[in-house]
């Protein structure tokens, strides 16, 4: 790259590798020797200035991923390359990578190298689950907050969902609802069917972030609600019937009926949390 001493632009190798391939040693981050290590690029402009060398390194790696246009599974520079290009210690790189792995931004495959991670919502899920469990003596305030967010999201999506599913048939959803009814009648939980029902409803929507958010909140729900004890048989029947009503309202294109069914869906859970 021309005039590297004056440039702090992140450079990209011609073609990064994919997860499972040997690390591409040509992928590198070039920071000019006379420039500050803290990058002023795509990602760093959204964040406050890092306070430690490890935070600086973490910001630089994230900025490199964005500037280079890398995608999930693309190879990242080696640990040695990061140390050389960023002018930081190996311990700083390792601490930065550990944090990025925890955030699911980087994936380390031993014997292969480092790659862009799945960037899932797992860290958010773990944080919110812990928040919900942190103060068990607060009358389940944390759990109630999570459920209220789920309700708000479901109601906000009533319009898009009913539009997407109006007059639309789907054998999978019909089977899921039937399985819910059967389990409820037997007094059995139907956790997996419940999760799949909500995921399937959102799959036709153009904005897939709704799907990811719902899946994240469902994961939180699944991990925390068992703390409330086993649901009553009548509550399981109410919830199963509410799912059927949601599907019928969606197919009818009836936003109001969909929201009413959503309210009935969450009513037993809110009663326990009250």
């Amino acid at each position: 790259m021309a005039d590297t001493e004056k440039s702090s632009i992140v450079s990209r190798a011609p073609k990064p590798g994919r997860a499972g391939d040997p690390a591409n040693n040509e992928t590198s981050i070039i920071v000019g020797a006379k420039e500050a290590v803290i990058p002023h690029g795509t990602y760093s402009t959204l964040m406050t200035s890092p306070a430690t060398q490890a935070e600086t390194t973490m910001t630089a790696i994230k900025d490199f991923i964005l500037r280079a246009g890398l995608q999930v599974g693309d190879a990242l520079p080696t640990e040695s390359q990061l140390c050389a290009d960023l002018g930081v210690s190996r311990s700083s790189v390792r601490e930065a990578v550990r944090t990025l792995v925890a955030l699911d931004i980087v994936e380390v495959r031993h014997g292969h190298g480092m790659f862009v991670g799945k960037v899932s919502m797992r860290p958010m899920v773990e944080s919110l689950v812990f928040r919900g469990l942190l103060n068990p003596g607060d009358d389940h305030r944390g759990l109630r907050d999570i459920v209220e967010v789920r309700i708000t999201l479901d109601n906000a999506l009533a319009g898009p969902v009913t539009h997407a599913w109006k007059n639309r048939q789907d054998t999978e959803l019909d089977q899921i609802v039937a399985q819910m009814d059967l389990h409820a009648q037997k007094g059995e939980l139907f956790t997996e069917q419940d999760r799949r029902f909500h995921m399937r409803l959102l799959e036709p929507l153009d904005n897939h972030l709704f799907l990811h958010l719902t899946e994240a909140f469902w994961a939180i729900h699944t991990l925390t609600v068992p703390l409330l004890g086993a649901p009553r048989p009548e509550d399981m029947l109410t919830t199963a019937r509410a799912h059927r009503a949601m599907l019928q309202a969606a197919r009818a294109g009836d936003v109001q009926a969909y929201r009413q069914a959503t309210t009935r869906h969450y009513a037993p859970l809110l009663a326990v949390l009250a």
Side-chain angles (χ1 to χ4, degrees):
M1 182 169 62
D3 198 10
T4 55
E5 284 199 350
K6 294 182 179 180
S7 174
S8 60
I9 297 176
V10 178
S11 71
R12 182 187 181 186
K15 186 177 181 180
R18 288 283 175 180
D21 296 334
N24 187 340
N25 293 330
E26 295 182 359
T27 307
S28 62
I29 299 176
I30 304 299
V31 180
K34 295 183 179 180
E35 296 288 342
V37 174
I38 298 175
H40 298 282
T42 309
Y43 186 87
S44 59
T45 55
L46 304 177
M47 309 296 292
T48 56
S49 296
T52 67
Q53 192 175 67
E55 290 173 349
T56 296
T57 305
M58 184 172 67
T59 299
I61 294 171
K62 288 186 287 190
D63 195 55
F64 166 70
I65 292 171
L66 296 176
R67 287 192 184 207
L70 301 185
Q71 300 299 315
V72 174
D74 284 345
L76 292 172
T78 63
E79 184 179 278
S80 298
Q81 189 71 55
L82 288 172
C83 292
D85 288 346
L86 295 177
V88 296
S89 66
R90 189 174 296 272
S91 62
S92 293
V93 169
R94 288 179 177 174
E95 183 178 345
V97 169
R98 279 196 297 268
T99 302
L100 292 173
V101 168
L103 293 172
D104 209 17
I105 293 173
V106 168
E107 177 186 4
V108 175
R109 294 200 171 189
H110 298 290
H112 296 284
M114 295 183 291
F115 303 85
V116 179
K118 296 179 180 178
V119 199
S120 69
M121 293 191 176
R122 175 181 55 77
M124 182 188 78
V125 170
E126 293 183 359
S127 177
L128 289 176
V129 167
F130 186 76
R131 177 187 175 89
L133 302 177
L134 189 58
N135 298 307
D138 67 351
D139 296 325
H140 303 297
R141 177 71 257 180
L143 299 183
R144 192 158 63 251
D145 288 347
I146 291 169
V147 173
E148 287 174 357
V149 170
R150 279 196 65 196
I151 294 171
T152 300
L153 183 59
D154 280 346
N155 282 325
L157 293 176
V161 168
T162 53
H163 176 75
W165 283 95
K166 186 174 182 179
N167 298 324
R168 181 173 183 159
Q169 300 302 311
D170 187 84
T171 302
E172 181 184 0
L173 267 180
D174 291 332
Q175 292 175 344
I176 290 172
V177 170
Q179 290 170 1
M180 285 183 177
D181 287 337
L182 184 60
H183 284 298
Q185 290 168 13
K186 294 180 179 180
E188 299 172 348
L189 295 174
F190 42 86
T191 304
E192 178 54 31
Q193 288 83 4
D194 198 340
R195 184 198 70 81
R196 183 56 192 146
F197 175 89
H198 290 280
M199 297 304 101
R200 182 68 189 120
L201 273 185
L202 299 182
E203 284 174 0
L205 273 57
D206 292 332
N207 190 332
H208 288 174
L209 183 57
F210 292 142
L211 178 65
H212 296 315
L213 282 172
T214 298
E215 189 164 27
F217 279 111
W218 177 253
I220 298 165
H221 175 102
T222 302
L223 291 170
T224 55
V225 168
L227 298 174
L228 303 176
R232 300 181 304 172
E234 56 267 34
D235 290 342
M236 288 190 282
L237 287 169
T238 297
T239 303
R241 291 166 183 162
H243 283 88
R244 182 176 292 279
M246 289 173 68
L247 178 56
Q248 291 171 342
R251 284 175 169 164
D254 191 332
V255 175
Q256 183 177 359
Y258 184 88
R259 287 179 175 151
Q260 290 172 345
T262 298
T263 299
R264 294 198 298 274
H265 167 22
Y266 288 105
L269 181 56
L270 288 176
V272 175
L273 292 171

